[in-house]
Coordinates of all heavy atoms in Angstrom, one line a residue:
M1 N 16.4 -9.7 27.5 CA 15.1 -9.2 27.3 C 14.6 -8.5 28.5 O 13.5 -8.0 28.4 CB 14.2 -10.3 26.7 CG 14.1 -10.1 25.2 SD 12.8 -11.2 24.7 CE 13.6 -12.6 24.0
A2 N 15.2 -8.7 29.6 CA 14.6 -8.2 30.9 C 14.4 -6.7 30.9 O 13.8 -6.2 31.9 CB 15.4 -8.7 32.1
Q3 N 14.9 -5.9 29.9 CA 14.8 -4.5 30.0 C 13.3 -4.1 29.7 O 12.9 -3.0 30.0 CB 15.7 -3.8 29.0 CG 15.3 -3.9 27.6 CD 16.0 -5.1 27.0 OE1 16.4 -6.1 27.7 NE2 16.2 -5.2 25.7
Y4 N 12.5 -5.0 29.1 CA 11.1 -4.7 29.0 C 10.3 -5.0 30.1 O 10.3 -6.1 30.8 CB 10.5 -5.5 27.7 CG 11.2 -5.2 26.4 CD1 12.1 -6.0 25.9 CD2 10.9 -3.9 25.8 CE1 12.8 -5.6 24.6 CE2 11.4 -3.6 24.6 CZ 12.4 -4.4 24.0 OH 13.0 -4.1 22.9
K5 N 9.4 -4.1 30.5 CA 8.5 -4.3 31.7 C 7.0 -4.4 31.1 O 6.6 -3.4 30.4 CB 8.6 -3.2 32.7 CG 10.0 -3.2 33.4 CD 10.0 -2.1 34.4 CE 11.5 -2.1 35.1 NZ 11.6 -1.0 36.1
I6 N 6.4 -5.5 31.4 CA 5.1 -5.7 30.7 C 4.0 -5.7 31.9 O 4.2 -6.4 32.9 CB 5.1 -7.0 29.9 CG1 6.1 -6.8 28.8 CG2 3.7 -7.2 29.3 CD1 6.4 -8.1 28.0
L7 N 2.9 -5.0 31.6 CA 1.7 -5.0 32.5 C 0.7 -5.9 31.9 O 0.2 -5.6 30.8 CB 1.3 -3.6 32.7 CG 0.0 -3.4 33.7 CD1 0.3 -3.9 35.1 CD2 -0.5 -2.0 33.6
V8 N 0.2 -6.8 32.6 CA -0.9 -7.7 32.1 C -2.1 -7.4 33.0 O -2.1 -7.4 34.2 CB -0.5 -9.2 32.3 CG1 -1.7 -10.0 31.9 CG2 0.7 -9.6 31.4
S9 N -3.2 -7.1 32.3 CA -4.5 -6.8 33.0 C -5.4 -8.0 33.0 O -5.8 -8.4 31.9 CB -5.2 -5.6 32.3 OG -6.4 -5.3 32.9
G10 N -5.7 -8.6 34.2 CA -6.5 -9.7 34.3 C -5.8 -11.0 34.6 O -4.9 -11.4 33.9
A11 N -6.1 -11.6 35.8 CA -5.4 -12.8 36.3 C -6.2 -14.0 36.2 O -6.4 -14.8 37.1 CB -4.9 -12.5 37.8
S12 N -6.9 -14.2 35.0 CA -7.6 -15.5 34.8 C -6.7 -16.3 33.9 O -5.5 -16.1 33.9 CB -9.0 -15.1 34.1 OG -9.8 -16.3 34.1
I13 N -7.3 -17.2 33.1 CA -6.5 -18.2 32.4 C -5.7 -17.6 31.3 O -4.5 -17.9 31.1 CB -7.4 -19.3 31.8 CG1 -6.6 -20.4 31.2 CG2 -8.4 -18.8 30.8 CD1 -5.7 -21.2 32.2
A14 N -6.1 -16.5 30.6 CA -5.4 -15.9 29.5 C -4.3 -15.1 30.1 O -3.1 -15.2 29.7 CB -6.4 -15.1 28.6
G15 N -4.6 -14.3 31.1 CA -3.6 -13.4 31.7 C -2.5 -14.3 32.3 O -1.2 -13.9 32.1
L16 N -2.9 -15.2 33.1 CA -1.8 -16.0 33.8 C -1.0 -16.9 32.8 O 0.2 -17.0 33.1 CB -2.4 -16.8 34.9 CG -3.1 -15.9 36.1 CD1 -3.7 -16.8 37.1 CD2 -2.0 -15.0 36.7
T17 N -1.6 -17.4 31.8 CA -0.9 -18.1 30.8 C 0.2 -17.2 30.1 O 1.4 -17.6 29.9 CB -1.8 -18.8 29.7 OG1 -2.7 -19.6 30.4 CG2 -1.1 -19.5 28.7
L18 N -0.3 -16.0 29.8 CA 0.6 -15.0 29.2 C 1.8 -14.7 30.0 O 3.0 -14.6 29.7 CB -0.1 -13.8 28.8 CG 0.7 -12.7 28.2 CD1 1.3 -13.1 26.8 CD2 -0.2 -11.4 27.9
V19 N 1.5 -14.5 31.3 CA 2.5 -14.2 32.3 C 3.6 -15.3 32.4 O 4.8 -15.0 32.4 CB 1.9 -13.9 33.7 CG1 3.0 -13.9 34.8 CG2 1.1 -12.7 33.8
Y20 N 3.0 -16.6 32.4 CA 4.0 -17.7 32.5 C 5.0 -17.7 31.3 O 6.2 -17.8 31.6 CB 3.2 -19.0 32.5 CG 4.0 -20.2 32.5 CD1 4.6 -20.7 33.7 CD2 4.4 -20.8 31.3 CE1 5.4 -21.8 33.6 CE2 5.3 -21.9 31.3 CZ 5.8 -22.4 32.4 OH 6.6 -23.5 32.4
W21 N 4.4 -17.5 30.1 CA 5.3 -17.6 29.0 C 6.2 -16.3 28.8 O 7.4 -16.5 28.5 CB 4.5 -17.8 27.7 CG 4.0 -19.2 27.7 CD1 2.7 -19.6 27.9 CD2 4.8 -20.3 27.4 NE1 2.7 -21.0 27.9 CE2 3.9 -21.5 27.6 CE3 6.1 -20.7 27.2 CZ2 4.3 -22.8 27.4 CZ3 6.5 -22.0 27.1 CH2 5.7 -23.0 27.2
L22 N 5.7 -15.2 29.2 CA 6.6 -14.0 29.1 C 7.8 -14.2 30.1 O 8.9 -13.9 29.8 CB 5.8 -12.8 29.5 CG 4.8 -12.3 28.4 CD1 3.9 -11.2 28.9 CD2 5.5 -11.8 27.2
K23 N 7.5 -14.7 31.4 CA 8.6 -14.9 32.2 C 9.6 -16.0 31.8 O 10.7 -15.9 32.0 CB 8.0 -15.3 33.7 CG 7.3 -14.0 34.2 CD 6.8 -14.3 35.7 CE 7.9 -14.4 36.7 NZ 8.5 -13.0 37.0
Q24 N 9.0 -17.0 31.1 CA 9.9 -18.1 30.5 C 10.9 -17.5 29.6 O 12.0 -17.9 29.5 CB 9.1 -19.1 29.8 CG 8.2 -20.0 30.7 CD 9.1 -21.1 31.4 OE1 10.0 -21.7 30.8 NE2 9.1 -21.1 32.7
Y25 N 10.5 -16.4 28.9 CA 11.4 -15.7 28.0 C 12.1 -14.5 28.6 O 12.7 -13.7 27.9 CB 10.6 -15.3 26.7 CG 10.3 -16.5 25.8 CD1 9.2 -17.3 26.0 CD2 11.3 -17.0 24.9 CE1 8.9 -18.4 25.3 CE2 11.0 -18.1 24.1 CZ 9.8 -18.8 24.4 OH 9.6 -19.9 23.6
G26 N 12.1 -14.3 29.9 CA 12.9 -13.4 30.6 C 12.3 -11.9 30.8 O 13.0 -11.0 31.1
F27 N 11.0 -11.8 30.5 CA 10.4 -10.5 30.6 C 10.1 -10.2 32.1 O 9.8 -11.2 32.8 CB 9.2 -10.4 29.8 CG 9.4 -10.3 28.3 CD1 9.3 -11.4 27.5 CD2 9.8 -9.1 27.7 CE1 9.5 -11.4 26.2 CE2 10.1 -9.1 26.3 CZ 9.9 -10.2 25.5
E28 N 10.1 -9.0 32.5 CA 9.6 -8.6 33.8 C 8.2 -8.2 33.7 O 7.8 -7.3 33.0 CB 10.4 -7.4 34.3 CG 10.2 -7.0 35.7 CD 11.1 -5.9 36.2 OE1 12.2 -5.7 35.7 OE2 10.6 -5.1 37.0
V29 N 7.3 -8.9 34.4 CA 5.9 -8.9 34.3 C 5.2 -8.5 35.6 O 5.5 -9.0 36.6 CB 5.3 -10.2 33.8 CG1 3.9 -10.0 33.4 CG2 6.1 -10.7 32.6
T30 N 4.2 -7.6 35.5 CA 3.3 -7.2 36.6 C 1.9 -7.5 36.2 O 1.5 -7.2 35.1 CB 3.4 -5.7 37.0 OG1 4.8 -5.4 37.3 CG2 2.5 -5.4 38.2
V31 N 1.2 -8.2 37.1 CA -0.2 -8.5 36.9 C -1.1 -7.7 37.7 O -0.9 -7.5 38.9 CB -0.6 -10.0 37.0 CG1 -1.9 -10.4 36.5 CG2 0.6 -10.8 36.6
V32 N -2.2 -7.1 37.1 CA -3.2 -6.5 37.9 C -4.6 -7.2 37.7 O -4.8 -7.7 36.6 CB -3.4 -4.9 37.5 CG1 -2.1 -4.1 37.9 CG2 -3.8 -4.8 36.1
E33 N -5.3 -7.2 38.8 CA -6.6 -7.9 38.7 C -7.6 -7.1 39.5 O -7.4 -6.7 40.6 CB -6.5 -9.4 39.3 CG -7.7 -10.1 39.6 CD -8.7 -10.2 38.4 OE1 -8.2 -10.8 37.4 OE2 -9.8 -9.8 38.4
R34 N -8.8 -6.9 38.8 CA -9.8 -6.0 39.5 C -10.6 -6.8 40.5 O -11.2 -6.1 41.5 CB -10.7 -5.4 38.4 CG -11.7 -6.4 37.8 CD -12.6 -5.6 36.8 NE -13.5 -6.5 36.2 CZ -14.4 -6.2 35.3 NH1 -14.4 -5.0 34.9 NH2 -15.1 -7.2 34.6
A35 N -10.7 -8.1 40.5 CA -11.4 -8.8 41.5 C -10.7 -8.7 42.9 O -9.5 -8.7 43.0 CB -11.5 -10.3 41.1
S36 N -11.5 -8.6 43.9 CA -10.9 -8.3 45.2 C -10.4 -9.6 45.9 O -9.7 -9.5 46.8 CB -11.9 -7.6 46.1 OG -13.1 -8.5 46.2
E37 N -10.9 -10.7 45.4 CA -10.4 -11.9 46.0 C -10.4 -13.1 45.1 O -11.1 -13.0 44.0 CB -11.3 -12.3 47.3 CG -12.7 -12.5 46.9 CD -13.7 -12.5 48.2 OE1 -13.2 -12.0 49.2 OE2 -14.7 -13.2 48.1
L38 N -9.8 -14.2 45.4 CA -9.7 -15.3 44.6 C -11.1 -15.9 44.5 O -11.9 -16.1 45.5 CB -8.8 -16.4 45.1 CG -8.6 -17.7 44.5 CD1 -7.9 -17.5 43.1 CD2 -7.7 -18.7 45.2
R39 N -11.6 -16.3 43.3 CA -12.9 -17.0 43.1 C -12.7 -18.4 43.2 O -12.1 -19.1 42.4 CB -13.5 -16.5 41.8 CG -15.0 -16.8 41.7 CD -15.6 -16.3 40.5 NE -15.2 -17.1 39.3 CZ -15.4 -16.8 38.1 NH1 -16.1 -15.7 37.8 NH2 -15.1 -17.6 37.1
L40 N -13.2 -19.0 44.3 CA -13.1 -20.5 44.6 C -14.1 -21.3 43.9 O -13.9 -22.5 43.7 CB -13.0 -20.6 46.0 CG -11.9 -19.9 46.8 CD1 -12.0 -20.2 48.3 CD2 -10.6 -20.5 46.4
G41 N -15.2 -20.7 43.5 CA -16.3 -21.6 42.9 C -15.9 -21.8 41.4 O -15.0 -21.2 40.9
G42 N -16.7 -22.7 40.8 CA -16.4 -22.9 39.4 C -17.1 -24.2 39.0 O -17.8 -24.9 39.6
Q43 N -16.7 -24.5 37.7 CA -17.3 -25.8 37.1 C -16.2 -26.8 36.7 O -15.0 -26.4 36.8 CB -18.2 -25.4 35.9 CG -19.4 -24.6 36.3 CD -20.4 -24.7 35.2 OE1 -20.1 -24.3 34.1 NE2 -21.6 -25.1 35.4
N44 N -16.6 -27.8 36.2 CA -15.6 -28.7 35.6 C -14.8 -28.0 34.5 O -15.5 -27.2 33.8 CB -16.2 -30.0 35.1 CG -16.8 -30.9 36.2 OD1 -16.4 -30.7 37.3 ND2 -17.8 -31.7 35.9
I45 N -13.6 -28.4 34.2 CA -12.9 -27.8 33.1 C -12.8 -28.7 32.0 O -12.3 -29.9 32.1 CB -11.5 -27.3 33.6 CG1 -11.6 -26.3 34.7 CG2 -10.6 -26.9 32.4 CD1 -10.3 -25.9 35.3
D46 N -13.1 -28.3 30.8 CA -13.1 -29.2 29.6 C -11.9 -28.6 28.8 O -12.1 -27.6 28.1 CB -14.4 -29.1 28.9 CG -14.4 -29.9 27.6 OD1 -13.5 -30.8 27.4 OD2 -15.3 -29.7 26.8
V47 N -10.8 -29.3 28.7 CA -9.7 -28.8 28.0 C -9.6 -29.6 26.6 O -9.5 -30.8 26.6 CB -8.3 -29.0 28.7 CG1 -7.2 -28.6 27.9 CG2 -8.3 -28.3 30.1
K48 N -9.8 -28.8 25.5 CA -9.8 -29.4 24.2 C -9.2 -28.4 23.2 O -8.9 -27.3 23.4 CB -11.1 -29.9 23.8 CG -12.2 -28.8 23.8 CD -13.6 -29.3 23.7 CE -14.6 -28.2 23.8 NZ -16.0 -28.6 23.8
G49 N -9.0 -29.0 22.0 CA -8.5 -28.1 20.8 C -7.2 -27.5 21.1 O -6.3 -28.2 21.6
S50 N -7.0 -26.2 20.8 CA -5.8 -25.5 21.0 C -5.4 -25.5 22.4 O -4.2 -25.4 22.7 CB -5.9 -24.2 20.4 OG -6.9 -23.4 21.0
A51 N -6.3 -25.5 23.3 CA -5.9 -25.5 24.8 C -5.2 -26.7 25.1 O -4.2 -26.6 26.0 CB -7.2 -25.4 25.7
W52 N -5.5 -27.8 24.6 CA -4.7 -29.1 24.8 C -3.2 -28.9 24.4 O -2.3 -29.4 25.1 CB -5.4 -30.2 24.2 CG -4.8 -31.5 24.4 CD1 -4.3 -32.4 23.5 CD2 -4.6 -32.1 25.8 NE1 -3.8 -33.6 24.3 CE2 -3.9 -33.4 25.6 CE3 -4.8 -31.7 27.0 CZ2 -3.6 -34.2 26.7 CZ3 -4.5 -32.5 28.1 CH2 -3.9 -33.8 27.9
E53 N -3.0 -28.3 23.3 CA -1.6 -28.1 22.7 C -0.9 -27.2 23.7 O 0.3 -27.4 24.0 CB -1.6 -27.4 21.4 CG -0.3 -27.2 20.7 CD 0.5 -28.5 20.6 OE1 0.0 -29.5 20.4 OE2 1.8 -28.3 20.7
I54 N -1.5 -26.1 24.3 CA -0.9 -25.3 25.2 C -0.5 -26.0 26.5 O 0.6 -25.8 27.0 CB -1.8 -24.0 25.5 CG1 -1.9 -23.2 24.3 CG2 -1.3 -23.2 26.7 CD1 -3.0 -22.1 24.4
V55 N -1.4 -26.9 27.0 CA -1.1 -27.6 28.2 C 0.1 -28.5 27.9 O 1.0 -28.7 28.8 CB -2.4 -28.5 28.6 CG1 -2.0 -29.5 29.7 CG2 -3.5 -27.5 29.1
K56 N 0.2 -29.2 26.8 CA 1.3 -30.0 26.5 C 2.6 -29.3 26.5 O 3.6 -29.8 26.9 CB 1.1 -30.8 25.1 CG 0.1 -31.8 25.2 CD 0.1 -32.8 24.1 CE -0.5 -32.1 22.8 NZ -0.6 -33.0 21.7
R57 N 2.6 -28.1 25.8 CA 3.8 -27.3 25.8 C 4.2 -26.8 27.2 O 5.4 -26.7 27.5 CB 3.6 -26.1 24.9 CG 3.5 -26.5 23.4 CD 3.4 -25.2 22.5 NE 3.1 -25.6 21.2 CZ 3.1 -24.7 20.2 NH1 3.5 -23.4 20.5 NH2 2.7 -25.1 19.0
W58 N 3.2 -26.5 28.0 CA 3.5 -26.0 29.4 C 4.1 -27.2 30.1 O 5.1 -26.9 30.8 CB 2.1 -25.7 30.0 CG 2.1 -24.8 31.1 CD1 3.0 -24.6 32.1 CD2 1.1 -23.8 31.4 NE1 2.6 -23.6 32.9 CE2 1.5 -23.1 32.5 CE3 0.0 -23.4 30.7 CZ2 0.7 -22.0 33.0 CZ3 -0.8 -22.4 31.2 CH2 -0.5 -21.7 32.3
A59 N 3.6 -28.4 30.0 CA 4.2 -29.5 30.8 C 5.6 -29.8 30.3 O 6.5 -30.1 31.1 CB 3.3 -30.7 30.6
S60 N 5.9 -29.7 29.0 CA 7.2 -30.0 28.6 C 8.1 -28.9 28.8 O 9.4 -29.1 28.7 CB 7.2 -30.4 27.1 OG 6.8 -29.3 26.3
S61 N 7.7 -27.7 29.2 CA 8.6 -26.6 29.5 C 9.1 -26.7 30.9 O 10.1 -26.0 31.2 CB 7.9 -25.3 29.3 OG 7.0 -25.0 30.3
K62 N 8.5 -27.5 31.7 CA 8.9 -27.6 33.1 C 10.2 -28.3 33.3 O 10.5 -29.3 32.5 CB 7.9 -28.5 33.9 CG 6.5 -27.8 34.1 CD 6.7 -26.8 35.1 CE 5.3 -26.1 35.3 NZ 5.4 -25.0 36.2
K63 N 11.1 -27.8 34.1 CA 12.4 -28.3 34.3 C 12.5 -29.3 35.5 O 11.8 -29.1 36.4 CB 13.4 -27.3 34.3 CG 13.5 -26.4 33.0 CD 14.4 -25.3 33.2 CE 14.6 -24.5 31.9 NZ 13.6 -23.4 31.8
Ligands
FAD101 C1 -20.4 -21.3 33.0 C2 -19.1 -21.4 32.1 C3 -18.5 -22.6 31.8 C4 -17.3 -22.6 31.0 N1 -16.7 -23.8 30.9 C5 -15.6 -23.9 30.0 C6 -14.9 -25.1 29.9 O1 -15.3 -26.2 30.3 N2 -13.8 -25.1 29.1 C7 -13.3 -24.0 28.6 O2 -12.3 -24.0 27.9 N3 -14.0 -22.8 28.7 C8 -15.1 -22.7 29.5 N4 -15.7 -21.5 29.6 C9 -15.2 -20.3 29.0 C10 -14.0 -19.8 29.8 O3 -14.4 -19.6 31.1 C11 -13.5 -18.6 29.1 O4 -13.2 -18.8 27.8 C12 -12.2 -18.1 29.8 O5 -12.5 -17.8 31.2 C13 -11.8 -16.9 29.2 O6 -10.6 -16.5 29.9 P1 -9.9 -15.1 29.8 O7 -8.7 -15.2 30.7 O8 -9.8 -14.6 28.4 O9 -11.0 -14.1 30.4 P2 -11.8 -14.2 31.9 O10 -11.8 -15.5 32.4 O11 -13.0 -13.4 31.6 O12 -10.8 -13.3 32.8 C14 -10.6 -11.9 32.6 C15 -10.0 -11.4 34.0 O13 -9.7 -10.0 33.9 C16 -10.1 -9.3 34.9 N5 -10.4 -8.0 34.6 C17 -11.3 -7.5 33.7 N6 -11.2 -6.2 33.5 C18 -10.1 -5.8 34.2 C19 -9.5 -4.6 34.5 N7 -10.0 -3.4 33.9 N8 -8.5 -4.5 35.3 C20 -8.0 -5.6 35.9 N9 -8.5 -6.8 35.7 C21 -9.6 -7.0 34.9 C22 -11.4 -10.1 35.4 O14 -11.7 -9.8 36.7 C23 -11.0 -11.5 35.1 O15 -10.3 -12.1 36.2 C24 -16.9 -21.5 30.4 C25 -17.5 -20.2 30.7 C26 -18.6 -20.1 31.5 C27 -19.2 -18.8 31.8

């Protein structure tokens, strides 16, 4: 599947999650982000619902 080149716009949680899974399946991925630097501030993260299922699949995909 590496013949497909995919451009993902936005390097936040959705963009980076998509990049992770696309690369797991062999796609060549480029990410663009309009922010000029990493945003270090933030709040506590509350993972629940469908997000919890994604985290579990992410953890079990690690080799
Ligand atoms: C105060 C606050 C607290 C929150 N707390 C929680 C929480 O506890 N739990 C939870 O699950 N959710 C929480 N949320 C919601 C959560 O932050 C969003 O649902 C989540 O960030 C959405 O992720 P996203 O990747 O879809 O979009 P975003 O996080 O909005 O990311 C979009 C990215 O795309 C980039 N971008 C936009 N346009 C372009 C462009 N033209 N070219 C290149 N890059 C571009 C942006 O710079 C950004 O990095 C909270 C939100 C706020 C505001």
Side-chain angles (χ1 to χ4, degrees):
M1 262 191 256
Q3 72 271 24
Y4 294 106
K5 295 181 179 179
I6 298 175
L7 177 66
V8 174
S9 176
S12 187
I13 189 65
L16 295 180
T17 301
L18 179 62
V19 169
Y20 175 84
W21 286 106
L22 287 171
K23 289 183 76 70
Q24 287 287 307
Y25 285 92
F27 291 99
E28 188 178 329
V29 187
T30 301
V31 191
V32 293
E33 169 55 57
R34 72 176 174 183
S36 59
E37 59 190 27
L38 183 65
R39 196 174 72 187
L40 295 175
Q43 293 196 300
N44 294 338
I45 297 175
D46 178 19
V47 178
K48 57 188 175 187
S50 56
W52 184 237
E53 180 61 31
I54 292 170
V55 170
K56 286 195 287 187
R57 291 186 192 187
W58 205 321
S60 65
S61 75
K62 292 284 183 189
K63 297 176 177 97

